[in-house]
Amino acid sequence: MPFIGRDWRANGEQWTKTELGSWQRPKPISLSNSLTNLNASLSDILNALDIVNSVSNIRRFNYVAKVVQILLKEKLSELSGNAQRCLFQIIERMIDTALKTGDNIPLMQRIVTQFHNSIEAAYPFYYYIGSSQLWQQHIEKLTHMKEKMKHIRVNRIKTDEDNSKIKFDYLPVEMQREIVRRLDSGADIANVGMINSNLYRVTQELLLWRQLCLHHFGDETKNSNQATVFGEKISGFLRRQNKNMNLDMDNVDWKKIYFVLKRQYGLRDVYAEMIHQCQLCKYLYWQDADHPCPYEKLSSSSKPITPRKLVIMLI
Amino acid sequence: MAEDKIKVATSDGGILEVDLYIAKQWQPVKLIYEVLDSTNVPENPIDLDAISTETLKKIIEWSNHHKQDEADSADNSENDRNHGEISPWDKTFFNIKQEMIFEIIVAADHLGMTELLDMGCKTVANMIKGKTPEEVRQTFNIPNDLPPLQTAQPITSNENQ
């Protein structure tokens, strides 16, 4: 059978240099982005979107983290070996970025622990795609990552201590309140409340929780700056409460409402930069980048894709 | 017009010269100019006695960099808690000792500079985000005065970003 592949007579392969200094094959961005190409696998699409390099971009980090988390928690049984390898690459890059900037280390620890637990729980392989050696390799890699992060985290916390003249504790209450207002998760606020009796008082203020509820579960339209527009989720909950007892609007326990609604609806996630899909040619691309749309004459219409929708599309 | 400078006196006796354009964004200075005739530059330096010289220098540095932001004032009401909003320059700006960050926050509140206050508070909030109470205590050196009974398990959220 004659040799029909590329031999010494053909052009050589093309390699491009990455930011790290290593070499990589060029990513065929044009090919596997459209949904109509049913043969596009997860790793192809992730490569085309250049996820591995966008992790170092701080605006895209949170989005990628959410996608990774959804894939690990729910879709592990549907990930092929190649997809898992791609995922490992992404996680390794994320850990490097997190260690370099010092942000998000607890998040990375959570992700690695989750991955570790899911893979361990996948034994004995009824719904895990891969041989036992692969499984073993993965477990080792994840354990190694965990150790690396644990070591760094302890060092970082120690170096932040300094004998400041103005300590956080001595800030005026209004300033403490302003800072706590900018935490956007109830868990963080509750943790701050457990630090100190002064801070406990600050975090118990109902106005704080009310604002948090409105931010996460309030009306999504932009005109809802009025205090009276509560949106579907909150009004529904209040109405149900009202049936049991007489509700006093001034004494609504917003903290309780927050945790109940969080269990029911989940938190609202805001990302600095999201992946969009062009409605015309079904192309996927990052918010800041551009895409070669064959329908350029028509007005561009693109929809932002939440991480969950992206996962559904990919799998 | 931007060349006009006025003098301000700080809490530790220093006297700094500031562009009039920047100083007029500060509450105390605005009040004084409303009272006086706008063409009369006050003879004596304006007293900002709650703010130290070093803090004021940092604030002036920030104001100089953000001069153009005042012109194109975007609608900030939606960006309340958007974590991607701290620009790289601001991040470097706030990469300083903790006590300086707190002094800047208090000074920004005193001067009525909402943008700077917002950035400062977001920076501190980012330092708190995701940490357990004990870690936050270590980071900020806060003494714990709660009796052991009240210290329940810290809440770790699985759905956090």
PDB file of all heavy atoms in Angstrom, chain B residues 19-50:
ATOM      1  N   ASP B  19      -3.906  70.586  42.261  1.00  0.00           N
ATOM      2  CA  ASP B  19      -4.626  71.201  41.158  1.00  0.00           C
ATOM      3  C   ASP B  19      -6.020  71.592  41.613  1.00  0.00           C
ATOM      4  O   ASP B  19      -6.698  70.816  42.274  1.00  0.00           O
ATOM      5  CB  ASP B  19      -4.775  70.195  40.002  1.00  0.00           C
ATOM      6  CG  ASP B  19      -3.517  70.146  39.171  1.00  0.00           C
ATOM      7  OD1 ASP B  19      -2.678  71.053  39.331  1.00  0.00           O
ATOM      8  OD2 ASP B  19      -3.388  69.203  38.396  1.00  0.00           O
ATOM      9  N   LEU B  20      -6.452  72.759  41.197  1.00  0.00           N
ATOM     10  CA  LEU B  20      -7.766  73.215  41.620  1.00  0.00           C
ATOM     11  C   LEU B  20      -8.853  72.260  41.153  1.00  0.00           C
ATOM     12  O   LEU B  20      -9.820  71.972  41.853  1.00  0.00           O
ATOM     13  CB  LEU B  20      -8.012  74.609  41.046  1.00  0.00           C
ATOM     14  CG  LEU B  20      -9.273  75.291  41.580  1.00  0.00           C
ATOM     15  CD1 LEU B  20      -9.144  75.453  43.092  1.00  0.00           C
ATOM     16  CD2 LEU B  20      -9.467  76.635  40.929  1.00  0.00           C
ATOM     17  N   TYR B  21      -8.650  71.718  39.929  1.00  0.00           N
ATOM     18  CA  TYR B  21      -9.640  70.819  39.351  1.00  0.00           C
ATOM     19  C   TYR B  21      -9.880  69.609  40.249  1.00  0.00           C
ATOM     20  O   TYR B  21     -11.005  69.174  40.463  1.00  0.00           O
ATOM     21  CB  TYR B  21      -9.139  70.387  37.973  1.00  0.00           C
ATOM     22  CG  TYR B  21     -10.037  69.392  37.301  1.00  0.00           C
ATOM     23  CD1 TYR B  21     -11.310  69.752  36.868  1.00  0.00           C
ATOM     24  CD2 TYR B  21      -9.621  68.083  37.097  1.00  0.00           C
ATOM     25  CE1 TYR B  21     -12.124  68.844  36.252  1.00  0.00           C
ATOM     26  CE2 TYR B  21     -10.440  67.173  36.472  1.00  0.00           C
ATOM     27  CZ  TYR B  21     -11.694  67.552  36.052  1.00  0.00           C
ATOM     28  OH  TYR B  21     -12.493  66.651  35.445  1.00  0.00           O
ATOM     29  N   ILE B  22      -8.772  69.076  40.793  1.00  0.00           N
ATOM     30  CA  ILE B  22      -8.914  67.898  41.659  1.00  0.00           C
ATOM     31  C   ILE B  22      -9.499  68.301  43.001  1.00  0.00           C
ATOM     32  O   ILE B  22     -10.397  67.642  43.530  1.00  0.00           O
ATOM     33  CB  ILE B  22      -7.531  67.232  41.857  1.00  0.00           C
ATOM     34  CG1 ILE B  22      -7.056  66.637  40.536  1.00  0.00           C
ATOM     35  CG2 ILE B  22      -7.609  66.179  42.922  1.00  0.00           C
ATOM     36  CD1 ILE B  22      -5.731  65.948  40.654  1.00  0.00           C
ATOM     37  N   ALA B  23      -8.998  69.419  43.563  1.00  0.00           N
ATOM     38  CA  ALA B  23      -9.436  69.797  44.905  1.00  0.00           C
ATOM     39  C   ALA B  23     -10.922  70.089  44.926  1.00  0.00           C
ATOM     40  O   ALA B  23     -11.603  69.851  45.915  1.00  0.00           O
ATOM     41  CB  ALA B  23      -8.651  71.013  45.382  1.00  0.00           C
ATOM     42  N   LYS B  24     -11.445  70.590  43.810  1.00  0.00           N
ATOM     43  CA  LYS B  24     -12.858  70.955  43.818  1.00  0.00           C
ATOM     44  C   LYS B  24     -13.761  69.739  43.873  1.00  0.00           C
ATOM     45  O   LYS B  24     -14.963  69.862  44.096  1.00  0.00           O
ATOM     46  CB  LYS B  24     -13.184  71.768  42.563  1.00  0.00           C
ATOM     47  CG  LYS B  24     -12.981  73.246  42.753  1.00  0.00           C
ATOM     48  CD  LYS B  24     -13.734  74.035  41.715  1.00  0.00           C
ATOM     49  CE  LYS B  24     -13.735  75.507  42.084  1.00  0.00           C
ATOM     50  NZ  LYS B  24     -14.145  76.365  40.987  1.00  0.00           N
ATOM     51  N   GLN B  25     -13.217  68.540  43.682  1.00  0.00           N
ATOM     52  CA  GLN B  25     -14.047  67.350  43.813  1.00  0.00           C
ATOM     53  C   GLN B  25     -14.240  66.960  45.274  1.00  0.00           C
ATOM     54  O   GLN B  25     -15.015  66.062  45.570  1.00  0.00           O
ATOM     55  CB  GLN B  25     -13.400  66.179  43.085  1.00  0.00           C
ATOM     56  CG  GLN B  25     -13.342  66.385  41.590  1.00  0.00           C
ATOM     57  CD  GLN B  25     -12.406  65.378  40.950  1.00  0.00           C
ATOM     58  OE1 GLN B  25     -12.058  64.383  41.563  1.00  0.00           O
ATOM     59  NE2 GLN B  25     -11.998  65.648  39.735  1.00  0.00           N
ATOM     60  N   TRP B  26     -13.499  67.602  46.142  1.00  0.00           N
ATOM     61  CA  TRP B  26     -13.571  67.231  47.552  1.00  0.00           C
ATOM     62  C   TRP B  26     -14.613  68.055  48.278  1.00  0.00           C
ATOM     63  O   TRP B  26     -14.683  69.273  48.126  1.00  0.00           O
ATOM     64  CB  TRP B  26     -12.212  67.430  48.217  1.00  0.00           C
ATOM     65  CG  TRP B  26     -11.138  66.613  47.602  1.00  0.00           C
ATOM     66  CD1 TRP B  26     -11.284  65.517  46.812  1.00  0.00           C
ATOM     67  CD2 TRP B  26      -9.740  66.844  47.710  1.00  0.00           C
ATOM     68  NE1 TRP B  26     -10.065  65.048  46.431  1.00  0.00           N
ATOM     69  CE2 TRP B  26      -9.102  65.828  46.961  1.00  0.00           C
ATOM     70  CE3 TRP B  26      -8.958  67.794  48.376  1.00  0.00           C
ATOM     71  CZ2 TRP B  26      -7.726  65.740  46.866  1.00  0.00           C
ATOM     72  CZ3 TRP B  26      -7.585  67.705  48.269  1.00  0.00           C
ATOM     73  CH2 TRP B  26      -6.974  66.687  47.529  1.00  0.00           C
ATOM     74  N   GLN B  27     -15.402  67.366  49.115  1.00  0.00           N
ATOM     75  CA  GLN B  27     -16.504  68.022  49.823  1.00  0.00           C
ATOM     76  C   GLN B  27     -16.098  69.286  50.583  1.00  0.00           C
ATOM     77  O   GLN B  27     -16.699  70.339  50.381  1.00  0.00           O
ATOM     78  CB  GLN B  27     -17.145  67.032  50.811  1.00  0.00           C
ATOM     79  CG  GLN B  27     -18.286  66.214  50.226  1.00  0.00           C
ATOM     80  CD  GLN B  27     -19.335  67.061  49.577  1.00  0.00           C
ATOM     81  OE1 GLN B  27     -19.342  67.207  48.366  1.00  0.00           O
ATOM     82  NE2 GLN B  27     -20.213  67.639  50.368  1.00  0.00           N
ATOM     83  N   PRO B  28     -15.122  69.199  51.483  1.00  0.00           N
ATOM     84  CA  PRO B  28     -14.789  70.390  52.286  1.00  0.00           C
ATOM     85  C   PRO B  28     -14.410  71.584  51.391  1.00  0.00           C
ATOM     86  O   PRO B  28     -14.803  72.715  51.644  1.00  0.00           O
ATOM     87  CB  PRO B  28     -13.592  69.948  53.134  1.00  0.00           C
ATOM     88  CG  PRO B  28     -13.662  68.475  53.139  1.00  0.00           C
ATOM     89  CD  PRO B  28     -14.267  68.065  51.858  1.00  0.00           C
ATOM     90  N   VAL B  29     -13.659  71.304  50.310  1.00  0.00           N
ATOM     91  CA  VAL B  29     -13.236  72.389  49.429  1.00  0.00           C
ATOM     92  C   VAL B  29     -14.440  72.966  48.697  1.00  0.00           C
ATOM     93  O   VAL B  29     -14.583  74.177  48.530  1.00  0.00           O
ATOM     94  CB  VAL B  29     -12.181  71.879  48.425  1.00  0.00           C
ATOM     95  CG1 VAL B  29     -11.771  72.968  47.482  1.00  0.00           C
ATOM     96  CG2 VAL B  29     -10.992  71.328  49.178  1.00  0.00           C
ATOM     97  N   LYS B  30     -15.334  72.068  48.279  1.00  0.00           N
ATOM     98  CA  LYS B  30     -16.536  72.531  47.571  1.00  0.00           C
ATOM     99  C   LYS B  30     -17.334  73.467  48.445  1.00  0.00           C
ATOM    100  O   LYS B  30     -17.826  74.505  47.996  1.00  0.00           O
ATOM    101  CB  LYS B  30     -17.411  71.320  47.203  1.00  0.00           C
ATOM    102  CG  LYS B  30     -17.475  71.037  45.714  1.00  0.00           C
ATOM    103  CD  LYS B  30     -18.591  70.090  45.383  1.00  0.00           C
ATOM    104  CE  LYS B  30     -18.024  68.722  45.133  1.00  0.00           C
ATOM    105  NZ  LYS B  30     -18.991  67.747  44.697  1.00  0.00           N
ATOM    106  N   LEU B  31     -17.466  73.098  49.723  1.00  0.00           N
ATOM    107  CA  LEU B  31     -18.246  73.923  50.643  1.00  0.00           C
ATOM    108  C   LEU B  31     -17.644  75.312  50.759  1.00  0.00           C
ATOM    109  O   LEU B  31     -18.349  76.321  50.709  1.00  0.00           O
ATOM    110  CB  LEU B  31     -18.298  73.258  52.021  1.00  0.00           C
ATOM    111  CG  LEU B  31     -19.249  72.069  52.147  1.00  0.00           C
ATOM    112  CD1 LEU B  31     -19.123  71.454  53.518  1.00  0.00           C
ATOM    113  CD2 LEU B  31     -20.674  72.534  51.906  1.00  0.00           C
ATOM    114  N   ILE B  32     -16.316  75.343  50.896  1.00  0.00           N
ATOM    115  CA  ILE B  32     -15.659  76.632  51.063  1.00  0.00           C
ATOM    116  C   ILE B  32     -15.868  77.503  49.831  1.00  0.00           C
ATOM    117  O   ILE B  32     -16.146  78.692  49.918  1.00  0.00           O
ATOM    118  CB  ILE B  32     -14.151  76.435  51.344  1.00  0.00           C
ATOM    119  CG1 ILE B  32     -13.984  75.788  52.712  1.00  0.00           C
ATOM    120  CG2 ILE B  32     -13.415  77.747  51.252  1.00  0.00           C
ATOM    121  CD1 ILE B  32     -12.573  75.665  53.158  1.00  0.00           C
ATOM    122  N   TYR B  33     -15.782  76.865  48.655  1.00  0.00           N
ATOM    123  CA  TYR B  33     -15.952  77.651  47.434  1.00  0.00           C
ATOM    124  C   TYR B  33     -17.370  78.119  47.245  1.00  0.00           C
ATOM    125  O   TYR B  33     -17.629  79.118  46.581  1.00  0.00           O
ATOM    126  CB  TYR B  33     -15.482  76.831  46.220  1.00  0.00           C
ATOM    127  CG  TYR B  33     -14.038  77.087  45.915  1.00  0.00           C
ATOM    128  CD1 TYR B  33     -13.048  76.448  46.639  1.00  0.00           C
ATOM    129  CD2 TYR B  33     -13.677  78.021  44.958  1.00  0.00           C
ATOM    130  CE1 TYR B  33     -11.726  76.712  46.392  1.00  0.00           C
ATOM    131  CE2 TYR B  33     -12.351  78.282  44.709  1.00  0.00           C
ATOM    132  CZ  TYR B  33     -11.377  77.641  45.424  1.00  0.00           C
ATOM    133  OH  TYR B  33     -10.074  77.898  45.189  1.00  0.00           O
ATOM    134  N   GLU B  34     -18.311  77.381  47.800  1.00  0.00           N
ATOM    135  CA  GLU B  34     -19.701  77.843  47.694  1.00  0.00           C
ATOM    136  C   GLU B  34     -19.925  79.061  48.554  1.00  0.00           C
ATOM    137  O   GLU B  34     -20.695  79.953  48.209  1.00  0.00           O
ATOM    138  CB  GLU B  34     -20.656  76.718  48.126  1.00  0.00           C
ATOM    139  CG  GLU B  34     -21.007  75.778  47.002  1.00  0.00           C
ATOM    140  CD  GLU B  34     -21.756  74.581  47.507  1.00  0.00           C
ATOM    141  OE1 GLU B  34     -22.345  74.689  48.606  1.00  0.00           O
ATOM    142  OE2 GLU B  34     -21.743  73.545  46.836  1.00  0.00           O
ATOM    143  N   VAL B  35     -19.233  79.075  49.686  1.00  0.00           N
ATOM    144  CA  VAL B  35     -19.419  80.201  50.595  1.00  0.00           C
ATOM    145  C   VAL B  35     -18.741  81.463  50.044  1.00  0.00           C
ATOM    146  O   VAL B  35     -19.302  82.553  50.024  1.00  0.00           O
ATOM    147  CB  VAL B  35     -18.868  79.841  51.993  1.00  0.00           C
ATOM    148  CG1 VAL B  35     -18.814  81.056  52.871  1.00  0.00           C
ATOM    149  CG2 VAL B  35     -19.728  78.761  52.611  1.00  0.00           C
ATOM    150  N   LEU B  36     -17.485  81.238  49.566  1.00  0.00           N
ATOM    151  CA  LEU B  36     -16.741  82.399  49.067  1.00  0.00           C
ATOM    152  C   LEU B  36     -17.101  82.690  47.616  1.00  0.00           C
ATOM    153  O   LEU B  36     -17.740  81.896  46.951  1.00  0.00           O
ATOM    154  CB  LEU B  36     -15.246  82.118  49.133  1.00  0.00           C
ATOM    155  CG  LEU B  36     -14.626  81.908  50.504  1.00  0.00           C
ATOM    156  CD1 LEU B  36     -13.162  81.591  50.326  1.00  0.00           C
ATOM    157  CD2 LEU B  36     -14.796  83.164  51.338  1.00  0.00           C
ATOM    158  N   ASP B  37     -16.632  83.770  47.146  1.00  0.00           N
ATOM    159  CA  ASP B  37     -16.757  84.121  45.737  1.00  0.00           C
ATOM    160  C   ASP B  37     -15.821  83.228  44.931  1.00  0.00           C
ATOM    161  O   ASP B  37     -14.687  83.005  45.312  1.00  0.00           O
ATOM    162  CB  ASP B  37     -16.345  85.585  45.572  1.00  0.00           C
ATOM    163  CG  ASP B  37     -16.792  86.124  44.241  1.00  0.00           C
ATOM    164  OD1 ASP B  37     -17.204  85.299  43.384  1.00  0.00           O
ATOM    165  OD2 ASP B  37     -16.732  87.338  44.059  1.00  0.00           O
ATOM    166  N   SER B  38     -16.281  82.714  43.818  1.00  0.00           N
ATOM    167  CA  SER B  38     -15.482  81.694  43.132  1.00  0.00           C
ATOM    168  C   SER B  38     -14.212  82.262  42.521  1.00  0.00           C
ATOM    169  O   SER B  38     -13.306  81.519  42.196  1.00  0.00           O
ATOM    170  CB  SER B  38     -16.309  81.028  42.038  1.00  0.00           C
ATOM    171  OG  SER B  38     -16.778  82.007  41.154  1.00  0.00           O
ATOM    172  N   THR B  39     -14.105  83.551  42.365  1.00  0.00           N
ATOM    173  CA  THR B  39     -12.871  84.082  41.785  1.00  0.00           C
ATOM    174  C   THR B  39     -11.794  84.325  42.824  1.00  0.00           C
ATOM    175  O   THR B  39     -10.627  84.430  42.502  1.00  0.00           O
ATOM    176  CB  THR B  39     -13.135  85.430  41.069  1.00  0.00           C
ATOM    177  OG1 THR B  39     -13.842  86.272  41.988  1.00  0.00           O
ATOM    178  CG2 THR B  39     -13.977  85.197  39.831  1.00  0.00           C
ATOM    179  N   ASN B  40     -12.202  84.356  44.080  1.00  0.00           N
ATOM    180  CA  ASN B  40     -11.205  84.582  45.129  1.00  0.00           C
ATOM    181  C   ASN B  40     -10.564  83.282  45.550  1.00  0.00           C
ATOM    182  O   ASN B  40     -11.231  82.422  46.104  1.00  0.00           O
ATOM    183  CB  ASN B  40     -11.862  85.202  46.367  1.00  0.00           C
ATOM    184  CG  ASN B  40     -12.089  86.682  46.177  1.00  0.00           C
ATOM    185  OD1 ASN B  40     -11.502  87.288  45.295  1.00  0.00           O
ATOM    186  ND2 ASN B  40     -12.944  87.256  46.997  1.00  0.00           N
ATOM    187  N   VAL B  41      -9.297  83.134  45.277  1.00  0.00           N
ATOM    188  CA  VAL B  41      -8.607  81.957  45.809  1.00  0.00           C
ATOM    189  C   VAL B  41      -8.316  82.242  47.265  1.00  0.00           C
ATOM    190  O   VAL B  41      -7.776  83.291  47.597  1.00  0.00           O
ATOM    191  CB  VAL B  41      -7.301  81.715  45.048  1.00  0.00           C
ATOM    192  CG1 VAL B  41      -6.570  80.521  45.619  1.00  0.00           C
ATOM    193  CG2 VAL B  41      -7.606  81.496  43.576  1.00  0.00           C
ATOM    194  N   PRO B  42      -8.683  81.339  48.154  1.00  0.00           N
ATOM    195  CA  PRO B  42      -8.457  81.626  49.585  1.00  0.00           C
ATOM    196  C   PRO B  42      -6.978  81.809  49.873  1.00  0.00           C
ATOM    197  O   PRO B  42      -6.124  81.124  49.323  1.00  0.00           O
ATOM    198  CB  PRO B  42      -9.016  80.404  50.299  1.00  0.00           C
ATOM    199  CG  PRO B  42      -9.255  79.408  49.252  1.00  0.00           C
ATOM    200  CD  PRO B  42      -9.403  80.101  47.965  1.00  0.00           C
ATOM    201  N   GLU B  43      -6.681  82.757  50.746  1.00  0.00           N
ATOM    202  CA  GLU B  43      -5.304  83.084  51.045  1.00  0.00           C
ATOM    203  C   GLU B  43      -4.636  81.978  51.828  1.00  0.00           C
ATOM    204  O   GLU B  43      -3.538  81.541  51.522  1.00  0.00           O
ATOM    205  CB  GLU B  43      -5.260  84.379  51.884  1.00  0.00           C
ATOM    206  CG  GLU B  43      -5.889  85.546  51.171  1.00  0.00           C
ATOM    207  CD  GLU B  43      -4.952  86.084  50.124  1.00  0.00           C
ATOM    208  OE1 GLU B  43      -3.772  86.226  50.432  1.00  0.00           O
ATOM    209  OE2 GLU B  43      -5.403  86.338  49.000  1.00  0.00           O
ATOM    210  N   ASN B  44      -5.317  81.542  52.882  1.00  0.00           N
ATOM    211  CA  ASN B  44      -4.725  80.517  53.728  1.00  0.00           C
ATOM    212  C   ASN B  44      -4.980  79.143  53.158  1.00  0.00           C
ATOM    213  O   ASN B  44      -5.985  78.919  52.498  1.00  0.00           O
ATOM    214  CB  ASN B  44      -5.330  80.578  55.132  1.00  0.00           C
ATOM    215  CG  ASN B  44      -5.136  81.935  55.736  1.00  0.00           C
ATOM    216  OD1 ASN B  44      -4.142  82.578  55.464  1.00  0.00           O
ATOM    217  ND2 ASN B  44      -6.117  82.385  56.511  1.00  0.00           N
ATOM    218  N   PRO B  45      -4.098  78.228  53.431  1.00  0.00           N
ATOM    219  CA  PRO B  45      -4.349  76.869  52.952  1.00  0.00           C
ATOM    220  C   PRO B  45      -5.589  76.289  53.637  1.00  0.00           C
ATOM    221  O   PRO B  45      -5.881  76.574  54.785  1.00  0.00           O
ATOM    222  CB  PRO B  45      -3.087  76.097  53.351  1.00  0.00           C
ATOM    223  CG  PRO B  45      -2.369  76.948  54.301  1.00  0.00           C
ATOM    224  CD  PRO B  45      -2.805  78.354  54.092  1.00  0.00           C
ATOM    225  N   ILE B  46      -6.315  75.468  52.885  1.00  0.00           N
ATOM    226  CA  ILE B  46      -7.541  74.877  53.414  1.00  0.00           C
ATOM    227  C   ILE B  46      -7.166  73.722  54.330  1.00  0.00           C
ATOM    228  O   ILE B  46      -6.323  72.887  54.002  1.00  0.00           O
ATOM    229  CB  ILE B  46      -8.418  74.374  52.258  1.00  0.00           C
ATOM    230  CG1 ILE B  46      -8.768  75.558  51.360  1.00  0.00           C
ATOM    231  CG2 ILE B  46      -9.660  73.714  52.786  1.00  0.00           C
ATOM    232  CD1 ILE B  46      -9.648  75.177  50.218  1.00  0.00           C
ATOM    233  N   ASP B  47      -7.827  73.680  55.458  1.00  0.00           N
ATOM    234  CA  ASP B  47      -7.493  72.668  56.450  1.00  0.00           C
ATOM    235  C   ASP B  47      -8.221  71.350  56.190  1.00  0.00           C
ATOM    236  O   ASP B  47      -9.446  71.306  56.151  1.00  0.00           O
ATOM    237  CB  ASP B  47      -7.929  73.185  57.828  1.00  0.00           C
ATOM    238  CG  ASP B  47      -6.749  73.212  58.763  1.00  0.00           C
ATOM    239  OD1 ASP B  47      -5.766  72.489  58.479  1.00  0.00           O
ATOM    240  OD2 ASP B  47      -6.814  73.933  59.747  1.00  0.00           O
ATOM    241  N   LEU B  48      -7.453  70.293  56.009  1.00  0.00           N
ATOM    242  CA  LEU B  48      -8.086  68.974  55.924  1.00  0.00           C
ATOM    243  C   LEU B  48      -7.523  68.178  57.095  1.00  0.00           C
ATOM    244  O   LEU B  48      -6.640  67.344  56.928  1.00  0.00           O
ATOM    245  CB  LEU B  48      -7.732  68.282  54.608  1.00  0.00           C
ATOM    246  CG  LEU B  48      -8.267  68.916  53.329  1.00  0.00           C
ATOM    247  CD1 LEU B  48      -7.697  68.206  52.123  1.00  0.00           C
ATOM    248  CD2 LEU B  48      -9.773  68.830  53.295  1.00  0.00           C
ATOM    249  N   ASP B  49      -8.006  68.462  58.270  1.00  0.00           N
ATOM    250  CA  ASP B  49      -7.261  67.975  59.427  1.00  0.00           C
ATOM    251  C   ASP B  49      -7.518  66.524  59.784  1.00  0.00           C
ATOM    252  O   ASP B  49      -7.030  66.043  60.783  1.00  0.00           O
ATOM    253  CB  ASP B  49      -7.549  68.863  60.635  1.00  0.00           C
ATOM    254  CG  ASP B  49      -9.045  68.963  60.851  1.00  0.00           C
ATOM    255  OD1 ASP B  49      -9.798  68.323  60.089  1.00  0.00           O
ATOM    256  OD2 ASP B  49      -9.461  69.701  61.756  1.00  0.00           O
ATOM    257  N   ALA B  50      -8.332  65.832  59.011  1.00  0.00           N
ATOM    258  CA  ALA B  50      -8.528  64.428  59.350  1.00  0.00           C
ATOM    259  C   ALA B  50      -7.611  63.524  58.544  1.00  0.00           C
ATOM    260  O   ALA B  50      -7.587  62.322  58.750  1.00  0.00           O
ATOM    261  CB  ALA B  50      -9.973  64.034  59.094  1.00  0.00           C
TER     262      ALA B  50
END
